Amino acid sequence: FFSSIFLTQPLKIISLAIFFAFFCRKPNDDKEANEYLNDDQFTLDEDEEYLHSIKDKFLFIYRSPIRANRLNQDEIISARDRRLKEVYMWSILREIFIYICFLSLLCIVTYSNRHPNAFLQVNHLRKYFLNSDYKKISTINQYWNWLENSFVENIHAQQWYNGDAARNLSGYINDKSNRLIGWVTMRQLRLKSQSYQYDYSSSNEDKQSYQPGWSNETIETYSLSITESFQYQSSKDLDTYTYVGDHGSYPGSGYVYEFRGR
């Protein structure tokens, strides 16, 4: 929650602001500024006449140019600089206004969908699955005991307190009030059997596919879900990303088992 507020969402906002600043900004196309900068590129209206037009050889259609007081070079430079400053000033103000509107809409869309009970929901699920038995795990046997007797039983609705079957609760977890969207997935990363390192790293990761029981051959018949759980899958196959934990970084690949059921 806090990483989303202070890290993820601000990075999204800054990235989008940089994108709009470089690729979606309109170029300065001011008519008067272009006239000051380049005397050869301008467009006259129907009721205007260019004072430097050359006298046409047809005397009957020639009209004498209107005499006007021309600005000297210093006045032109001063007027041009002043006009350019005004153009840039209004351009900056316009961009700031657009950015403020964009950031306001983005914040409204991002944070308005947060339900006030979201923290209570996450806290309940964390305490429900990661209970006191999980916090005491220090050996492999304790982990498997928690996985089989606590975690697996709680991801599906079990019997009621009086022994009655949990009818019409397909897809609910064992608290009888929260429902799973999809199914629970467990992904395992293994070390090579010849590795003498106990800490996981990408260099000693086991990427070989096995048969059930982590053997190369088997004569027993297993279901498809169990057989596939011993097949190594890359992060591209699983469409997952690297996970950064407290003790290391773990890629999105591995051996996956899906807890499907009622």
Side-chain angles (χ1 to χ4, degrees):
F1 176 76
F2 290 101
S3 63
S4 176
I5 294 178
F6 296 106
L7 181 62
T8 306
Q9 300 302 334
L11 287 177
K12 290 181 180 179
I13 294 173
I14 294 174
S15 301
L16 290 175
I18 294 175
F19 174 82
F20 279 98
F22 280 93
F23 298 101
C24 300
R25 183 176 61 180
K26 293 184 178 180
N28 292 329
D29 189 12
D30 187 84
K31 179 180 177 182
E32 297 183 20
N34 287 335
E35 291 181 4
Y36 283 121
L37 294 174
N38 194 344
D39 294 336
D40 297 330
Q41 297 181 1
F42 57 87
T43 303
L44 296 177
D45 295 333
E46 295 180 357
D47 58 345
E48 296 179 341
E49 182 178 3
Y50 185 46
L51 299 180
H52 295 277
S53 59
I54 302 175
K55 184 176 180 180
D56 197 274
K57 61 182 179 179
F58 298 100
L59 299 178
F60 297 101
I61 62 175
Y62 173 73
R63 184 174 60 181
S64 60
I66 300 174
R67 300 298 178 183
N69 295 327
R70 300 286 295 177
L71 300 176
N72 57 40
Q73 186 176 2
D74 295 336
E75 292 174 339
I76 292 176
I77 294 175
S78 177
R80 178 173 56 187
D81 293 340
R82 184 172 61 253
R83 180 55 187 166
L84 288 177
K85 290 179 180 179
E86 293 178 357
V87 170
Y88 293 145
M89 179 189 68
W90 286 111
S91 176
I92 293 173
L93 292 177
R94 183 170 58 253
E95 290 184 6
I96 292 175
F97 176 75
I98 294 174
Y99 288 160
I100 291 176
C101 294
F102 168 74
L103 293 178
S104 300
L105 291 175
L106 186 62
C107 290
I108 292 174
V109 172
T110 303
Y111 295 106
S112 61
N113 294 328
R114 293 186 178 274
H115 197 276
N117 294 331
F119 170 77
L120 300 177
Q121 176 72 15
V122 174
N123 191 45
H124 162 69
L125 294 177
R126 183 179 289 117
K127 291 182 178 179
Y128 190 73
F129 288 104
L130 307 181
N131 49 30
S132 58
D133 294 336
Y134 176 81
K135 297 178 180 179
K136 297 178 181 178
I137 294 176
S138 59
T139 63
I140 297 178
N141 292 332
Q142 291 177 347
Y143 170 77
W144 282 107
N145 180 63
W146 167 82
L147 185 66
E148 294 176 351
N149 300 324
S150 179
F151 181 78
V152 174
E153 289 186 357
N154 288 329
I155 61 177
H156 296 299
Q158 305 298 327
Q159 295 180 348
W160 290 96
Y161 63 93
N162 56 1
D164 293 343
R167 296 184 176 88
N168 301 323
L169 291 176
S170 177
Y172 284 82
I173 63 177
N174 200 26
D175 64 355
K176 312 294 193 302
S177 60
N178 292 284
R179 186 169 186 175
L180 286 174
I181 304 300
W183 50 81
V184 178
T185 300
M186 183 177 69
R187 181 168 56 89
Q188 180 181 183
L189 297 174
R190 292 174 55 86
L191 301 179
K192 295 179 180 179
S193 58
Q194 298 83 4
S195 176
Y196 296 97
Q197 299 179 4
Y198 294 99
D199 294 333
Y200 171 82
S201 65
S202 58
S203 60
N204 60 359
E205 178 186 2
D206 189 2
K207 299 182 180 180
Q208 182 180 351
S209 296
Y210 297 91
Q211 295 296 326
W214 304 109
S215 60
N216 295 326
E217 296 181 1
T218 181
I219 58 176
E220 299 183 17
T221 303
Y222 296 90
S223 63
L224 181 61
S225 60
I226 295 179
T227 303
E228 290 181 347
S229 64
F230 290 89
Q231 304 297 313
Y232 179 84
Q233 301 182 60
S234 64
S235 59
K236 183 178 181 181
D237 298 332
L238 299 174
D239 193 19
T240 53
Y241 300 95
T242 300
Y243 177 80
V244 180
D246 295 334
H247 303 285
S249 299
Y250 307 94
S253 56
Y255 305 88
V256 175
Y257 179 76
E258 298 174 347
F259 291 89
R260 300 197 183 193
R262 58 181 178 84

